[in-house]
Amino acid sequence: MAFPRKEKDVSDFVAARKIDEKISFVRNDHEVNGTIFKILENSVIVEISSKDAELIGAASNLTVVAHKNYSIV
């Protein structure tokens, strides 16, 4: 038996986000700039440079950032 998905209200900040939008966030004491690759309910997937990925210890140039942890550039 499947239950229908409940629709949740989205904050104005999250609703205003767009793919390819430039953002900035801090991880492991490094400020990182990237572009939004995909928008999720509680976070975004961000494409960052290979150099930044190495600096912050990310496995690839895509990383997940919670909506509350980034700002728009």
Side-chain angles (χ1 to χ4, degrees):
M1 173 191 267
F3 294 97
R5 185 178 175 126
K6 289 185 180 179
E7 291 297 321
K8 294 185 179 179
D9 290 335
V10 178
S11 73
D12 292 339
F13 178 79
V14 174
R17 301 294 56 89
K18 304 285 184 232
I19 302 295
D20 291 330
E21 190 168 30
K22 304 285 186 204
I23 67 166
S24 175
F25 62 96
V26 175
R27 175 136 343 131
N28 298 338
D29 296 324
H30 296 287
E31 185 173 343
V32 180
N33 292 313
T35 58
I36 295 176
F37 183 77
K38 184 172 184 179
I39 303 167
L40 305 172
E41 187 174 322
N42 297 310
S43 58
V44 289
I45 298 177
V46 181
E47 188 171 16
I48 59 176
S49 70
S50 298
K51 180 183 172 190
D52 283 336
E54 191 175 311
L55 266 176
I56 65 172
S60 74
N61 67 331
L62 296 176
T63 190
V64 177
V65 182
H67 289 303
K68 65 181 180 179
N69 292 334
Y70 66 84
S71 58
I72 306 307
V73 176

